[in-house]
Amino acid sequence: MASGVNSSAIVQQTETYKGVVKDATGESVIGASVVVKGTTNGTITDFDGNFSLDGVKKGNMIIISYVGYQTQEIKWNSGSLNVILKEDSKTLSEVVVVGYGTQKKVNLSGSVAMVDSKELENRPIQNVSSGLQGLMPGVTITGTNGAPGQDAGKIRVRGIGTLNEAGPYILVDGIETGTLSAVDPNDIESISVLKDVASAAIYGSKAANGVVLITTKRGKTGETKVSYSGYLSFQNATNMIERMGFYEYTSLLNKALEAEGMAKRFDDTELQKFKAGNDPLYPDTDWYDLAYKTGVQHRHNININGGSENVKYMASLGYLNQTGILPNAGREQFNARTNLDMKINERLSVRMNLSYIKNQYSDASSAYAGGSSDQIIRQLNLIAPWIVAHYDDGTWGTISDGSPIAWLDSGMKVNRDNYNFSGMAAVDYKIMDGLKLTLQGAYVNSLQNYSYFQKYIKYNENKESDPNQLDERYYKWDRINYDALLNYDKSFGKHNIKGLLGWHTEKYNYKYQKAVRKKFPNNELTDMNAGDASTQSNEGYSAELAMISWFARVNYDFAGKYLLEANIRSDASSRFAEGHRWGYFPSFSGAWRISEEAFMEGVRDSWLSSLKIRASWGQLGNQDALSGTNNDYYPALNTYNLDSKYAFGGSLNSGYYQRKYRLETISWEKASTWGIGVDFTLFNKLNGSIDYYNRKTTDIIMDVTVPEEFALDAYKDNVVSMRNSGVEINLSYNTQIGQVDFGIAGNFSYNKNKILDLGGGDPDKYLDASGGYNQRNKVGEAVNSYFIYRADGFFNSQEEADAYTEKYGNPFGKKFKAGDLRYVDTNKDGKLTAEDREYCGSSDPKITYGFNINAGWKGFDLSLMFNGAAGVKRLFDGYEVYGNFSGDAAHPSTIWRDAWTPENHNASMPRIFYDTNSPSSSRSVQSDFWLQNTSYLRLKNLQLGYTLPKKWLNAVGVDNIRIYYSVENLLTFNNMKINIDPEATSQRLSSYPLLRTHAFGINIAF
């Protein structure tokens, strides 16, 4: 606000406007901008808040602004003014959760991506990871699918930084969870991802692959508020491959056999029966239609929130129920959370969080290679349409592996019952003004009971499954940790200092047990004791880890203009041997808010509202590199196997032996990172940031091969190094057009990954990628690069094929024929050999992006959320995915309609051939012909809602009601050769498809 003062208090000069700017407490505001509206005539306040502005005419509008305060416009007629700036509560509330605390967004010197609860609300997602896809630059999420309870994606922050476990460090309210599935999306207040070394260094050895911080909702001062949110949704697969019908397939199969000089599979009489379609023994079975169905999912959450100045509380209850798109698959989850804040006195306060989740999910299973739905989905892709699904006598038609419909009809499934508890209690004590001590303890417990009863199935008189068996497992882990934190926060004039000194210790325990019995009397007696004791087997082990740490952080800023931050953390891990347990991880960062300088005042008040540049450097460690599926708790300790048998005295005796050699010197993987960035605001409407980063990871742990004479397995050592570098851009724009509120935001990330060394400095060294499909990790290439032949078209005549063979040879053992793929002699040595294979791209995207559009008008709201990826390749198994012509266990897709023939040289597929009897077959030769560009753009979420007018609700005691329609994965745009979802998680397409989900929901607040 502004108030006039007596002109005698400040000497008045002709056409000169003088005054003083203060805040609400009476403190002078230094560096506030004072500008004549519509001109470049301006100045800034001095150290006492005074200003003097020449060339002002009566009636001019004067604009006074300062970051963190509301901008004021004052009409000047004469005299001097005292200007009192009010704090801009919206700007001041823009705080970001960082390690062990919060910071104002404007004061950040590191790179932190943020998502608030609004981005996840009312979306029919089963887990948080799939909901985050495309929302943050530098955060890539892949591998999501529709399997109930198993649909969480892989999270990678700024690329893949190791050949081992590369997932980020995940904490919920400061408690390590290891997964985003341990929290109900409705309970989330905000999510911060610490992407660079400056923001993540406070977590030291666990932060090399980024840090995800989830903050849950807490109680707020005021009367008790009760809210309910819920939805009902319907789910179907986004993409299903179009397969040939029986008559088309049988006709082409006969031709393929004839071309090989083999007898036809079906005679003309049988073909006519297929064509007529009235004989149940000659069906056209639609296997997809028989197996897949519409899944139903509903979710409900009740939240209670309120409190006084001394006690604030939040409690929530959630329930999720999902039936899968395959029979026997589903999920049921119950979760509860309560957060309590108590102010005991002016110095002492207490916080407590409690959370419990019971998550039970099941997956349909096969009686062949059972334990998941993998073989069911695989066989639905493969099995020929002429196989009878159900005979009239209730038996099933089969192929050599069995029948997917029989497996589904049996009700066979894998059950996983998960129970997760987490609790935290903390005490905050104000020692003196600006100095606070926090003592905190937390406990997390997770238990999974895995149970799979594989049933005995007699498919028909000629085929039966293996004997029934029960596989039961228990996985249990718990972690207890303690923290002591000393926080200092004090301002001395324009000098602002914050400090943190901390100590952390944790203990982790893991236990695994498995028991198996076979040959049960029937499929109804499923207790372990009912199985044949002579078939029993069991196994189990336990492990424990411990870590102790100390850390410190110092933040300094001058007038909110020059920002500096330094971090140091030291960790000691029980994974490593004495003398190699301690790691030290420093970081330094700084930022300069250039827009607050005096020389920027003109542009600041016209178009460049804010400008900040940032820079950082530091080092991080990775002690969890050997976690995950290949967990190695004691990589530096010689261990012994107890399953050996030795012959003594004419009989076998149990014994032990050393299987693996260990190096005591093995230690941390280390990541050194530097980065620069810029944050800006244009016209007070367009916000943006641009970042460049460069991360080099060294001492990556890998298996070192040994000669056979060594007699022990390969040992692990710190050998590999790789680099990730990239650019990230984030933009958002908000405005009002008439009565319409409109906003658009987008993000873009580019990451370049390169392996620098695999040991010994050999530039030609490579490793086969773990779990890869014709993929290698080679020096100079990206992780998970495909190593295959290149193809450049088809042979259009037998003469051309023979001439090629004469010139280049044929290393594949199958004659080149007209219509076969033609491969490239890439090394130009005049012959076709394995040396002609090249690196042809990686399955990890170079580019990820996302954007969203939202609009609101008179209670209606509309939002569209897109995400996409580019620079990514996938080599799908052509034999199974595209289909082949081999008989009962094959079902070609309709893409083969455009196969090469003497009349169709401009084809998209090679000639049709029997089974793998061609060098074009993906089972014979892998080439870039079968390599697909899986770049895509997806409409991830569309939501349309309507909020009822409050005047309708007041009479019934309801504060707010919003109804909405929301759909996930509505549209996907890509350039795939075949109707495959570009994010399919299995190279042979035997994983659950991604789901399209239509939801109808309501939010009610009382």
Short mmCIF file of all heavy atoms in Angstrom, two decimals, residues 547-587:
data_model
loop_
_atom_site.label_atom_id
_atom_site.label_comp_id
_atom_site.label_asym_id
_atom_site.label_seq_id
_atom_site.Cartn_x
_atom_site.Cartn_y
_atom_site.Cartn_z
N MET A 547 25.21 -49.23 7.59
CA MET A 547 25.88 -48.04 7.09
C MET A 547 25.85 -46.96 8.16
O MET A 547 24.88 -46.84 8.90
CB MET A 547 25.21 -47.53 5.81
CG MET A 547 26.01 -46.44 5.11
SD MET A 547 25.30 -45.96 3.51
CE MET A 547 23.98 -44.89 4.06
N ILE A 548 26.93 -46.19 8.22
CA ILE A 548 26.98 -45.05 9.12
C ILE A 548 27.51 -43.86 8.32
O ILE A 548 28.36 -44.03 7.45
CB ILE A 548 27.87 -45.34 10.35
CG1 ILE A 548 27.77 -44.20 11.36
CG2 ILE A 548 29.30 -45.60 9.94
CD1 ILE A 548 28.41 -44.54 12.69
N SER A 549 26.96 -42.68 8.59
CA SER A 549 27.28 -41.52 7.76
C SER A 549 27.30 -40.25 8.60
O SER A 549 26.61 -40.15 9.63
CB SER A 549 26.22 -41.34 6.66
OG SER A 549 25.91 -42.54 6.01
N TRP A 550 28.08 -39.30 8.13
CA TRP A 550 27.95 -37.93 8.61
C TRP A 550 27.95 -37.01 7.39
O TRP A 550 28.50 -37.34 6.35
CB TRP A 550 29.05 -37.55 9.60
CG TRP A 550 30.46 -37.55 9.05
CD1 TRP A 550 31.38 -38.53 9.14
CD2 TRP A 550 31.09 -36.47 8.33
NE1 TRP A 550 32.55 -38.18 8.52
CE2 TRP A 550 32.40 -36.91 8.01
CE3 TRP A 550 30.68 -35.20 7.93
CZ2 TRP A 550 33.30 -36.12 7.31
CZ3 TRP A 550 31.59 -34.41 7.22
CH2 TRP A 550 32.87 -34.86 6.92
N PHE A 551 27.32 -35.86 7.54
CA PHE A 551 27.17 -34.96 6.39
C PHE A 551 26.97 -33.54 6.86
O PHE A 551 26.61 -33.28 8.02
CB PHE A 551 26.00 -35.39 5.50
CG PHE A 551 24.73 -35.70 6.25
CD1 PHE A 551 23.79 -34.71 6.46
CD2 PHE A 551 24.48 -36.97 6.74
CE1 PHE A 551 22.61 -34.98 7.15
CE2 PHE A 551 23.31 -37.25 7.41
CZ PHE A 551 22.37 -36.26 7.62
N ALA A 552 27.23 -32.61 5.95
CA ALA A 552 27.09 -31.19 6.28
C ALA A 552 26.73 -30.42 5.01
O ALA A 552 27.09 -30.82 3.89
CB ALA A 552 28.37 -30.64 6.88
N ARG A 553 26.02 -29.33 5.22
CA ARG A 553 25.65 -28.45 4.11
C ARG A 553 25.66 -27.00 4.60
O ARG A 553 25.21 -26.71 5.71
CB ARG A 553 24.27 -28.80 3.57
CG ARG A 553 23.79 -27.85 2.45
CD ARG A 553 22.49 -28.37 1.83
NE ARG A 553 21.41 -28.46 2.79
CZ ARG A 553 20.43 -29.35 2.72
NH1 ARG A 553 20.43 -30.26 1.75
NH2 ARG A 553 19.47 -29.36 3.62
N VAL A 554 26.17 -26.11 3.74
CA VAL A 554 26.17 -24.68 4.04
C VAL A 554 25.58 -23.94 2.85
O VAL A 554 25.98 -24.18 1.70
CB VAL A 554 27.59 -24.16 4.32
CG1 VAL A 554 27.56 -22.65 4.53
CG2 VAL A 554 28.19 -24.85 5.54
N ASN A 555 24.60 -23.08 3.12
CA ASN A 555 24.01 -22.21 2.10
C ASN A 555 24.26 -20.76 2.50
O ASN A 555 24.07 -20.38 3.66
CB ASN A 555 22.50 -22.43 1.98
CG ASN A 555 22.14 -23.81 1.49
OD1 ASN A 555 22.04 -24.73 2.29
ND2 ASN A 555 21.96 -23.96 0.19
N TYR A 556 24.67 -19.97 1.52
CA TYR A 556 24.86 -18.54 1.76
C TYR A 556 24.27 -17.77 0.59
O TYR A 556 24.42 -18.16 -0.57
CB TYR A 556 26.35 -18.20 1.89
CG TYR A 556 26.60 -16.70 1.86
CD1 TYR A 556 26.36 -15.91 2.98
CD2 TYR A 556 27.03 -16.09 0.68
CE1 TYR A 556 26.56 -14.54 2.94
CE2 TYR A 556 27.24 -14.72 0.64
CZ TYR A 556 27.00 -13.94 1.76
OH TYR A 556 27.19 -12.60 1.72
N ASP A 557 23.57 -16.70 0.90
CA ASP A 557 23.15 -15.79 -0.17
C ASP A 557 23.23 -14.36 0.33
O ASP A 557 23.04 -14.09 1.52
CB ASP A 557 21.76 -16.14 -0.70
CG ASP A 557 20.64 -15.68 0.21
OD1 ASP A 557 20.33 -14.48 0.23
OD2 ASP A 557 20.05 -16.54 0.91
N PHE A 558 23.50 -13.49 -0.59
CA PHE A 558 23.52 -12.07 -0.29
C PHE A 558 22.35 -11.41 -1.01
O PHE A 558 22.28 -11.43 -2.24
CB PHE A 558 24.83 -11.42 -0.74
CG PHE A 558 24.84 -9.92 -0.54
CD1 PHE A 558 24.98 -9.38 0.72
CD2 PHE A 558 24.64 -9.07 -1.63
CE1 PHE A 558 24.98 -8.01 0.91
CE2 PHE A 558 24.63 -7.70 -1.44
CZ PHE A 558 24.79 -7.17 -0.17
N ALA A 559 21.42 -10.88 -0.22
CA ALA A 559 20.26 -10.16 -0.74
C ALA A 559 19.47 -10.99 -1.73
O ALA A 559 18.81 -10.46 -2.61
CB ALA A 559 20.70 -8.84 -1.38
N GLY A 560 19.53 -12.34 -1.57
CA GLY A 560 18.82 -13.20 -2.51
C GLY A 560 19.35 -13.09 -3.92
O GLY A 560 18.69 -13.50 -4.87
N LYS A 561 20.58 -12.58 -4.05
CA LYS A 561 21.12 -12.29 -5.38
C LYS A 561 22.28 -13.22 -5.75
O LYS A 561 22.33 -13.74 -6.85
CB LYS A 561 21.59 -10.83 -5.41
CG LYS A 561 21.71 -10.23 -6.79
CD LYS A 561 22.25 -8.80 -6.72
CE LYS A 561 21.36 -7.88 -5.90
NZ LYS A 561 21.86 -6.47 -5.96
N TYR A 562 23.18 -13.44 -4.80
CA TYR A 562 24.34 -14.30 -5.03
C TYR A 562 24.19 -15.51 -4.10
O TYR A 562 24.13 -15.35 -2.87
CB TYR A 562 25.64 -13.56 -4.75
CG TYR A 562 25.71 -12.22 -5.42
CD1 TYR A 562 25.62 -11.03 -4.69
CD2 TYR A 562 25.81 -12.13 -6.81
CE1 TYR A 562 25.67 -9.80 -5.31
CE2 TYR A 562 25.86 -10.89 -7.44
CZ TYR A 562 25.78 -9.73 -6.69
OH TYR A 562 25.81 -8.51 -7.31
N LEU A 563 24.16 -16.70 -4.68
CA LEU A 563 23.81 -17.91 -3.94
C LEU A 563 24.96 -18.91 -4.02
O LEU A 563 25.46 -19.22 -5.11
CB LEU A 563 22.55 -18.55 -4.52
CG LEU A 563 21.37 -17.60 -4.79
CD1 LEU A 563 20.33 -18.28 -5.64
CD2 LEU A 563 20.76 -17.13 -3.48
N LEU A 564 25.34 -19.43 -2.87
CA LEU A 564 26.40 -20.44 -2.82
C LEU A 564 25.94 -21.60 -1.94
O LEU A 564 25.24 -21.40 -0.94
CB LEU A 564 27.69 -19.85 -2.24
CG LEU A 564 28.36 -18.74 -3.04
CD1 LEU A 564 29.50 -18.14 -2.23
CD2 LEU A 564 28.87 -19.26 -4.38
N GLU A 565 26.33 -22.81 -2.32
CA GLU A 565 26.01 -23.99 -1.51
C GLU A 565 27.17 -24.98 -1.58
O GLU A 565 27.76 -25.19 -2.64
CB GLU A 565 24.73 -24.67 -1.99
CG GLU A 565 24.36 -25.91 -1.18
CD GLU A 565 23.04 -26.54 -1.59
OE1 GLU A 565 22.07 -25.78 -1.83
OE2 GLU A 565 22.98 -27.78 -1.68
N ALA A 566 27.50 -25.59 -0.44
CA ALA A 566 28.53 -26.61 -0.37
C ALA A 566 28.00 -27.78 0.46
O ALA A 566 27.34 -27.57 1.49
CB ALA A 566 29.81 -26.06 0.25
N ASN A 567 28.27 -29.00 -0.01
CA ASN A 567 27.84 -30.21 0.68
C ASN A 567 29.03 -31.15 0.84
O ASN A 567 29.93 -31.20 -0.01
CB ASN A 567 26.77 -30.96 -0.13
CG ASN A 567 25.45 -30.23 -0.22
OD1 ASN A 567 24.59 -30.39 0.63
ND2 ASN A 567 25.28 -29.42 -1.26
N ILE A 568 29.00 -31.92 1.90
CA ILE A 568 29.96 -33.00 2.06
C ILE A 568 29.25 -34.14 2.79
O ILE A 568 28.48 -33.91 3.72
CB ILE A 568 31.22 -32.57 2.85
CG1 ILE A 568 32.20 -33.72 2.99
CG2 ILE A 568 30.84 -31.99 4.20
CD1 ILE A 568 32.84 -34.17 1.73
N ARG A 569 29.48 -35.36 2.29
CA ARG A 569 28.93 -36.52 2.98
C ARG A 569 30.00 -37.61 2.99
O ARG A 569 30.71 -37.81 2.01
CB ARG A 569 27.67 -37.04 2.32
CG ARG A 569 27.16 -38.35 2.95
CD ARG A 569 25.69 -38.47 2.92
NE ARG A 569 25.23 -39.75 3.46
CZ ARG A 569 24.01 -39.98 3.91
NH1 ARG A 569 23.11 -39.02 3.87
NH2 ARG A 569 23.65 -41.16 4.38
N SER A 570 30.06 -38.31 4.10
CA SER A 570 30.97 -39.44 4.24
C SER A 570 30.17 -40.64 4.71
O SER A 570 29.44 -40.56 5.70
CB SER A 570 32.08 -39.13 5.24
OG SER A 570 32.97 -40.21 5.33
N ASP A 571 30.28 -41.74 3.95
CA ASP A 571 29.55 -42.97 4.26
C ASP A 571 30.52 -44.12 4.46
O ASP A 571 31.54 -44.22 3.77
CB ASP A 571 28.62 -43.35 3.09
CG ASP A 571 27.49 -42.37 2.90
OD1 ASP A 571 26.99 -41.85 3.91
OD2 ASP A 571 27.11 -42.12 1.74
N ALA A 572 30.17 -44.99 5.39
CA ALA A 572 30.89 -46.25 5.57
C ALA A 572 29.89 -47.39 5.43
O ALA A 572 28.86 -47.40 6.12
CB ALA A 572 31.57 -46.29 6.94
N SER A 573 30.19 -48.33 4.54
CA SER A 573 29.26 -49.42 4.24
C SER A 573 29.87 -50.77 4.60
O SER A 573 31.05 -51.03 4.32
CB SER A 573 28.90 -49.41 2.75
OG SER A 573 28.15 -50.55 2.40
N SER A 574 29.02 -51.63 5.17
CA SER A 574 29.48 -52.97 5.51
C SER A 574 29.64 -53.86 4.29
O SER A 574 30.16 -54.97 4.40
CB SER A 574 28.48 -53.62 6.48
OG SER A 574 27.21 -53.80 5.84
N ARG A 575 29.23 -53.39 3.11
CA ARG A 575 29.43 -54.18 1.88
C ARG A 575 30.91 -54.38 1.59
O ARG A 575 31.29 -55.37 0.94
CB ARG A 575 28.79 -53.47 0.68
CG ARG A 575 27.28 -53.57 0.60
CD ARG A 575 26.82 -52.98 -0.72
NE ARG A 575 25.37 -52.91 -0.83
CZ ARG A 575 24.61 -53.87 -1.35
NH1 ARG A 575 25.18 -54.97 -1.81
NH2 ARG A 575 23.31 -53.74 -1.43
N PHE A 576 31.74 -53.44 2.04
CA PHE A 576 33.14 -53.45 1.65
C PHE A 576 34.04 -53.82 2.83
O PHE A 576 33.65 -53.72 3.99
CB PHE A 576 33.52 -52.10 1.06
CG PHE A 576 32.60 -51.65 -0.04
CD1 PHE A 576 31.84 -50.50 0.08
CD2 PHE A 576 32.47 -52.40 -1.19
CE1 PHE A 576 30.98 -50.09 -0.92
CE2 PHE A 576 31.61 -52.02 -2.21
CZ PHE A 576 30.87 -50.85 -2.08
N ALA A 577 35.26 -54.21 2.49
CA ALA A 577 36.21 -54.64 3.51
C ALA A 577 36.77 -53.44 4.27
O ALA A 577 36.76 -52.30 3.78
CB ALA A 577 37.35 -55.43 2.85
N GLU A 578 37.28 -53.72 5.46
CA GLU A 578 37.90 -52.66 6.24
C GLU A 578 39.04 -52.04 5.44
O GLU A 578 39.79 -52.72 4.77
CB GLU A 578 38.43 -53.22 7.56
CG GLU A 578 37.33 -53.63 8.53
CD GLU A 578 37.90 -54.01 9.88
OE1 GLU A 578 38.99 -53.50 10.22
OE2 GLU A 578 37.26 -54.80 10.59
N GLY A 579 39.15 -50.73 5.55
CA GLY A 579 40.12 -50.00 4.76
C GLY A 579 39.57 -49.49 3.44
O GLY A 579 40.20 -48.68 2.77
N HIS A 580 38.39 -49.96 3.07
CA HIS A 580 37.77 -49.54 1.82
C HIS A 580 36.29 -49.17 2.02
O HIS A 580 35.56 -49.04 1.04
CB HIS A 580 37.88 -50.66 0.77
CG HIS A 580 39.28 -51.10 0.50
ND1 HIS A 580 40.13 -50.43 -0.35
CD2 HIS A 580 39.99 -52.13 1.02
CE1 HIS A 580 41.31 -51.05 -0.38
NE2 HIS A 580 41.25 -52.07 0.45
N ARG A 581 35.88 -49.03 3.26
CA ARG A 581 34.46 -48.81 3.56
C ARG A 581 34.05 -47.35 3.46
O ARG A 581 32.89 -47.07 3.19
CB ARG A 581 34.14 -49.34 4.96
CG ARG A 581 34.11 -50.84 5.03
CD ARG A 581 33.83 -51.35 6.42
NE ARG A 581 33.68 -52.81 6.41
CZ ARG A 581 33.64 -53.56 7.50
NH1 ARG A 581 33.77 -53.00 8.69
NH2 ARG A 581 33.50 -54.87 7.40
N TRP A 582 34.97 -46.45 3.70
CA TRP A 582 34.59 -45.04 3.75
C TRP A 582 34.68 -44.40 2.37
O TRP A 582 35.65 -44.60 1.64
CB TRP A 582 35.48 -44.27 4.72
CG TRP A 582 35.11 -44.51 6.15
CD1 TRP A 582 35.68 -45.40 7.01
CD2 TRP A 582 34.08 -43.86 6.89
NE1 TRP A 582 35.07 -45.35 8.25
CE2 TRP A 582 34.08 -44.40 8.20
CE3 TRP A 582 33.14 -42.88 6.58
CZ2 TRP A 582 33.18 -44.00 9.18
CZ3 TRP A 582 32.25 -42.46 7.57
CH2 TRP A 582 32.28 -43.03 8.84
N GLY A 583 33.65 -43.64 2.03
CA GLY A 583 33.66 -42.84 0.82
C GLY A 583 33.32 -41.40 1.17
O GLY A 583 32.52 -41.14 2.08
N TYR A 584 33.93 -40.46 0.45
CA TYR A 584 33.73 -39.03 0.75
C TYR A 584 33.21 -38.35 -0.51
O TYR A 584 33.81 -38.47 -1.59
CB TYR A 584 35.05 -38.40 1.21
CG TYR A 584 35.60 -39.05 2.45
CD1 TYR A 584 36.48 -40.12 2.35
CD2 TYR A 584 35.21 -38.61 3.72
CE1 TYR A 584 36.97 -40.74 3.49
CE2 TYR A 584 35.71 -39.22 4.86
CZ TYR A 584 36.59 -40.29 4.75
OH TYR A 584 37.07 -40.90 5.87
N PHE A 585 32.10 -37.64 -0.37
CA PHE A 585 31.38 -37.14 -1.53
C PHE A 585 31.05 -35.66 -1.36
O PHE A 585 30.09 -35.29 -0.67
CB PHE A 585 30.10 -37.96 -1.74
CG PHE A 585 30.36 -39.44 -1.72
CD1 PHE A 585 30.03 -40.20 -0.60
CD2 PHE A 585 30.97 -40.06 -2.79
CE1 PHE A 585 30.29 -41.56 -0.57
CE2 PHE A 585 31.23 -41.42 -2.78
CZ PHE A 585 30.90 -42.17 -1.67
N PRO A 586 31.86 -34.78 -1.98
CA PRO A 586 31.64 -33.34 -1.87
C PRO A 586 30.87 -32.79 -3.07
O PRO A 586 30.83 -33.40 -4.14
CB PRO A 586 33.07 -32.80 -1.86
CG PRO A 586 33.80 -33.75 -2.80
CD PRO A 586 33.15 -35.10 -2.63
N SER A 587 30.31 -31.62 -2.90
CA SER A 587 29.72 -30.89 -4.02
C SER A 587 29.73 -29.40 -3.72
O SER A 587 29.68 -28.99 -2.56
CB SER A 587 28.29 -31.36 -4.31
OG SER A 587 27.39 -30.81 -3.37
#
